[in-house]
Amino acid sequence: MIMTLARRSAALLLALAPLAVSAPAPAAAAPAAAVLPLADAAELLPVADESRTGYSRDAFKHWNKGLDPADGCNTRAEVLLDEAVEAPTVDTGCKLSGGRWLSYYDAAEVTDPGKLDIDHMVPLAEAWDSGASGWTAQRREAYANDQDAAASLVAVTARTNRSKADQDPAEWMPPLPDAHCRYVGEWTATKLRWGLSVDQAEADALKVYAEACETTVVHYTPAP
């Protein structure tokens, strides 16, 4: 009887063991959102030298199928639809026509979607210089198509986007002075979201703008 009970106990333990091993792990907590004054947010950015060694725009796959692959629109079109002041007509193949947008870099009103660029708030080359060179291809694609943060991608006039090119706030600011505080706030938010660094000149420029934009608040959530 003693041996029988021992064997039954052992069998029960063996039967339960797989259940314990296969139990699902607790879900990881979602990244916490942060809200900070611009001056405090800018202080969180690590300062480091930049390097463009090995950079290629092709390292950042864009535009991909967007947030809703079933809608037939790529990331560019989805951003245009999201930011339209008046919604455009959407034809077969997600071809957009009509509609109205306001480019906040220069306060220009645009009614032809072909005259708008989707600007990466922190340009792809600048992202590479300040940390993205060490990312996987999948993370760079996520960065290049990031619609989960309103500041990451913005529809603006092609002329302002091409004037900006790959420059940081030490080198370029929107031509509309009233846009400066919003711009540096969104630049800082994007760098914090993606864990990117700043070079010394960039850090100094952000500090100067933060002093002038004392009421600007930075909202960001770290990217997964």
Side-chain angles (χ1 to χ4, degrees):
M1 177 64 73
I2 293 174
M3 289 298 293
T4 301
L5 289 174
R7 286 173 181 170
R8 287 179 179 175
S9 297
L12 181 60
L13 289 173
L14 287 172
L16 291 175
L19 296 176
V21 171
S22 61
V35 181
L36 295 168
L38 175 57
D40 294 343
E43 285 291 329
L44 295 178
L45 293 168
V47 179
D49 293 336
E50 295 184 349
S51 173
R52 195 157 298 184
T53 302
Y55 170 70
S56 168
R57 189 172 176 82
D58 292 338
F60 295 82
K61 181 182 177 181
H62 66 290
W63 305 108
N64 65 17
K65 293 182 179 180
L67 291 178
D68 182 6
D71 68 5
C73 298
N74 64 12
T75 299
R76 170 186 160 80
E78 288 183 353
V79 172
L80 288 173
L81 289 168
D82 185 59
E83 295 194 4
V85 177
E86 292 180 5
T89 299
V90 184
D91 294 321
T92 304
C94 199
K95 182 178 180 181
L96 307 184
S97 59
R100 183 167 63 90
W101 293 262
L102 184 65
S103 167
Y104 94 79
Y105 287 2
D106 51 2
E109 186 175 288
V110 181
T111 56
D112 178 358
K115 294 183 178 179
L116 291 163
D117 280 355
I118 305 304
D119 182 33
H120 291 93
M121 175 55 60
V122 175
L124 302 181
E126 169 67 21
W128 179 274
D129 296 351
S130 50
S133 60
W135 294 350
T136 63
Q138 291 75 18
R139 188 165 180 80
R140 287 195 288 267
E141 180 179 352
Y143 176 84
N145 297 275
D146 183 17
Q147 294 188 68
D148 291 324
S152 295
L153 300 171
V154 57
V156 295
T157 54
R159 62 178 176 271
T160 56
N161 183 47
R162 293 166 197 184
S163 170
K164 171 182 173 178
D166 57 7
Q167 300 176 93
D168 67 34
E171 304 161 316
W172 185 91
M173 289 292 286
L176 182 68
D178 287 349
H180 289 183
C181 290
R182 174 181 171 181
Y183 183 79
V184 294
E186 294 187 348
W187 179 280
T188 301
T190 304
K191 285 225 160 177
L192 287 172
R193 172 169 168 76
W194 289 93
L196 298 171
S197 63
V198 293
D199 62 26
Q200 190 61 60
E202 183 183 349
D204 292 344
L206 291 177
K207 183 176 180 180
V208 170
Y209 283 110
E211 291 174 355
C213 303
E214 57 185 4
T215 62
T216 298
V217 176
V218 173
H219 301 254
Y220 76 95
T221 300

